[in-house]
Amino acid sequence: MPEPRKRVSARNRSARRAPDSLLTVDVGNSEITVGRFRDDTLDGFWRLTTMRLTADEVLLQLRGLLGPAQAGTSAAVLCSVVPALSQPWSVALERLTGVAPVEVNAGSAKIAIRYLDPGAVGADRLANAVAVRARYGTPAIVVDLGTATTFDCISREGAYLGGIIAPGVGTSSEELFRRAARLPRVELRAPSRAVGRTTEESLRAGVIWGHAGQIDALVRRLALEMKGTPHVIATGGFAPLIAPECETVNRVDEALTLTGMKLIWQRAR
């Protein structure tokens, strides 16, 4: 007589099967990026201002973004560099999908880490390393232009080596505007000339080309300490503005971090 089949709870079934759509949430200091994947296609992408919210408020925000599509979202992955926001987002994602989200960290990334303290590496930097290794090959350098501009080096063998953390475009320019009373806030866009003839032109050239020059100098210095010639991939909110002004950046991939999160979720299943 065959043994009776064990019952599998709805919670466990949803954890094991491939989701109708996978929600990826990258919680940064200035922005929260939300992406929705159907299979390997990113069919939803939103940037939100980072704010302190309760789990209930986060859930309402997610339902507003997803609309009717929330019914088909049965899994999530969370990448957070803001400890105070990790719990409310994790709780909200579990309520939305019925399954606790996979959280990106040194263990779940499943990548060799050469940092002296692997637990100190930002979750977003690990997601970027996983994504660039899979999509573009190694060696590679990821330049992530967010609140800070981070440079992450991935070896020819695919290990995370470490990198550089520098002030971000928005962070440094806002501090300049705050401290210099006579300098106006200006819209950040590509400058037309280096010799500015107005205060606004001078600021744009300094902020945009100054940051692009910094990126080129640091990428070249990092490449000297790596084996092989690295691909250089830019991502983050300021990448479309700054990367075209750089000589060393090969490609802009705004969804790089979300792609790495999806790959980490697939490995954790």
Side-chain angles (χ1 to χ4, degrees):
M1 183 175 178
E3 294 183 3
R5 295 176 62 184
K6 294 181 180 179
R7 295 185 62 188
V8 180
S9 68
R11 181 187 181 91
N12 288 335
R13 280 200 304 272
S14 62
R16 292 177 184 176
R17 66 182 174 84
D20 297 321
S21 63
L22 172 69
L23 203 61
T24 54
V25 178
D26 177 20
V27 179
N29 289 290
S30 300
E31 286 188 337
I32 296 172
T33 308
V34 179
R36 184 183 62 223
F37 284 90
R38 293 186 188 275
D39 298 321
D40 289 328
T41 302
L42 181 65
D43 73 343
F45 184 85
W46 303 270
R47 289 191 185 276
L48 313 173
T49 300
T50 299
M51 294 185 291
R52 291 289 297 268
L53 298 174
T54 66
D56 290 336
E57 291 169 327
V58 171
L59 185 58
L60 287 171
Q61 192 172 45
L62 287 172
R63 285 175 172 163
L65 289 177
L66 297 173
Q70 66 183 285
T73 304
S74 53
V77 56
L78 175 65
C79 176
S80 175
V81 296
V82 187
L85 299 184
S86 299
Q87 184 181 20
W89 276 90
S90 180
V91 170
L93 289 170
E94 184 169 2
R95 290 180 185 172
L96 182 74
T97 64
V99 182
V102 170
E103 297 195 26
V104 177
N105 52 45
S108 64
K110 297 182 180 177
I111 184 173
I113 301 172
R114 305 294 182 233
Y115 223 61
L116 294 179
D117 179 5
V121 183
D124 54 343
R125 302 177 77 181
L126 294 175
N128 287 338
V130 169
V132 79
R133 186 175 67 173
R135 296 197 67 178
Y136 302 106
T138 54
I141 298 173
V142 177
V143 183
D144 193 337
L145 292 99
T147 304
T149 297
T150 59
F151 300 73
D152 295 302
C153 302
I154 299 86
S155 73
R156 188 162 54 191
E157 295 75 26
Y160 178 84
L161 299 176
I164 289 173
I165 302 174
V169 180
T171 305
S172 55
S173 60
E174 280 299 318
E175 186 64 12
L176 174 63
F177 299 145
R178 187 179 71 83
R179 287 179 173 269
R182 295 191 63 185
L183 293 182
R185 280 177 168 76
V186 298
E187 178 189 357
L188 294 181
R189 62 173 187 264
S192 58
R193 59 172 65 91
V195 181
R197 297 174 185 172
T198 66
T199 302
E200 289 77 7
E201 286 184 346
S202 301
L203 282 167
R204 289 192 186 99
V207 172
I208 305 301
W209 282 340
H211 210 81
Q214 179 193 59
I215 288 171
D216 287 335
L218 293 177
V219 164
R220 291 182 178 119
R221 190 172 290 267
L222 289 168
L224 292 174
E225 300 181 22
M226 299 176 67
K227 295 178 181 178
T229 303
H231 307 288
V232 182
I233 312 300
T235 191
F238 286 102
L241 175 65
I242 303 297
E245 310 300 324
C246 298
E247 297 175 356
T248 57
V249 174
N250 304 126
R251 184 184 296 267
V252 174
D253 187 341
E254 291 186 74
L256 188 72
T257 310
L258 302 183
T259 300
M261 294 165 64
K262 175 177 67 70
L263 293 171
I264 289 168
W265 177 83
Q266 289 172 337
R267 295 173 183 180
R269 289 171 57 193

